[in-house]
Amino acid sequence: MRAFRVFRAAKMLRYSSSIVIVVDVIKAQRRALLAVGTLALTYILIAALVIFNVEPESFDRYFDAVYWATVSLTTVGYGDIYAVSTAGRVITMLSSIFGIAIVALPSGIITAGYMDRIRAEQRQREKQRECEEK
C-alpha cells in the first residue's frame, strides 16, 4: 500500500504549472527531441563499433563497448571499462566532447520552448490587463 502513495504524490505534479509547461514543451518539440535521441543512439552504436574494433583486448563483448560509449557520451565515466591504447583514448576524448554537445541539445530545446511559453503567457496577461483597463 505504501508504494501506491508514490503514485498519489505523482498526481500532485500535474497541478504544478512549471511541470505542465515542461510536458507541453516536450510534446511540442517531440520531433526535434526524437532527432537528437536518434543522433545519440546512432553515435553510441557507431562509437561502440569503432572502439570494439580498435581495442578488442579491453572490450570482450559488443555490449561492453555499447556500455562504454553510453558512459562516455554522457560524460559519466565510471572507470570500470576504459580504453588503454592511444587510439582508444583519443576515441574516448572525442566521444566525451561530442557527448557534451549531444546532452546539451535536448536541454537547450526544452529550455528555449519553456522560455517561449513563459513569454507568450506574459504577453497574454499584459493584453488582458490592457483590455481590463480600457
Side-chain angles (χ1 to χ4, degrees), residues 65-76:
V66 170
Y67 169 77
W68 166 87
T70 304
V71 169
S72 294
L73 180 77
T74 58
T75 66
V76 172

Side-chain angles (χ1 to χ4, degrees), residues 15 18-19 22 42 46 87 102 120 128:
Y15 298 112
S18 295
I19 297 296
V22 169
T42 302
I46 290 172
I102 287 184
Q128 285 177 349

Side-chain angles (χ1 to χ4, degrees), residues 41-91:
L41 183 63
T42 302
Y43 181 76
I44 286 170
L45 296 176
I46 290 172
L49 186 61
V50 169
I51 200 74
F52 186 67
N53 288 313
V54 169
E55 293 233 357
E57 65 278 352
S58 296
F59 301 95
D60 299 330
R61 300 172 298 162
Y62 180 69
F63 180 77
D64 291 338
V66 170
Y67 169 77
W68 166 87
T70 304
V71 169
S72 294
L73 180 77
T74 58
T75 66
V76 172
Y78 291 124
D80 53 346
I81 300 175
Y82 52 89
V84 292
S85 71
T86 303
R89 289 179 177 178
V90 168
I91 293 167

